Amino acid sequence: MCRFAVDLIDFEELTAAQRKALLKDLQKRRDALQAQLEGVNESLKGVNQALKTVQKVSKRR
């Protein structure tokens, strides 16, 4: 759910169960995005390390 959709929701009209379900759904999405971000950061770290290695080898020649 994007921020725009959240802005359209009238939280006053939601039942307690709906609020709880929305909260749970948003937390799951956040956790999934956080896991993806950690994976991307690790991949980026590996690519940066490979670039440094290639640059060192290229400078020697």
Side-chain angles (χ1 to χ4, degrees), residues 46-60:
V47 168
N48 285 337
Q49 186 176 3
L51 280 170
K52 286 179 185 179
T53 303
V54 169
Q55 286 174 345
K56 282 181 184 179
V57 170
S58 295
K59 284 182 181 179
R60 285 188 218 156

Side-chain angles (χ1 to χ4, degrees), residues 6-59:
V6 171
D7 288 339
L8 295 176
I9 295 173
D10 185 6
F11 292 99
E12 299 295 324
E13 293 182 9
L14 293 178
T15 64
Q18 287 173 325
R19 278 189 223 123
K20 186 175 180 179
L22 179 61
L23 178 64
K24 196 172 191 177
D25 180 56
L26 289 173
Q27 286 173 338
K28 283 182 183 179
R29 288 176 186 233
R30 181 197 58 205
D31 293 344
L33 286 172
Q34 187 67 38
Q36 286 177 350
L37 182 60
E38 289 171 5
V40 167
N41 283 336
E42 192 164 324
S43 294
L44 184 59
K45 184 178 177 181
V47 168
N48 285 337
Q49 186 176 3
L51 280 170
K52 286 179 185 179
T53 303
V54 169
Q55 286 174 345
K56 282 181 184 179
V57 170
S58 295
K59 284 182 181 179

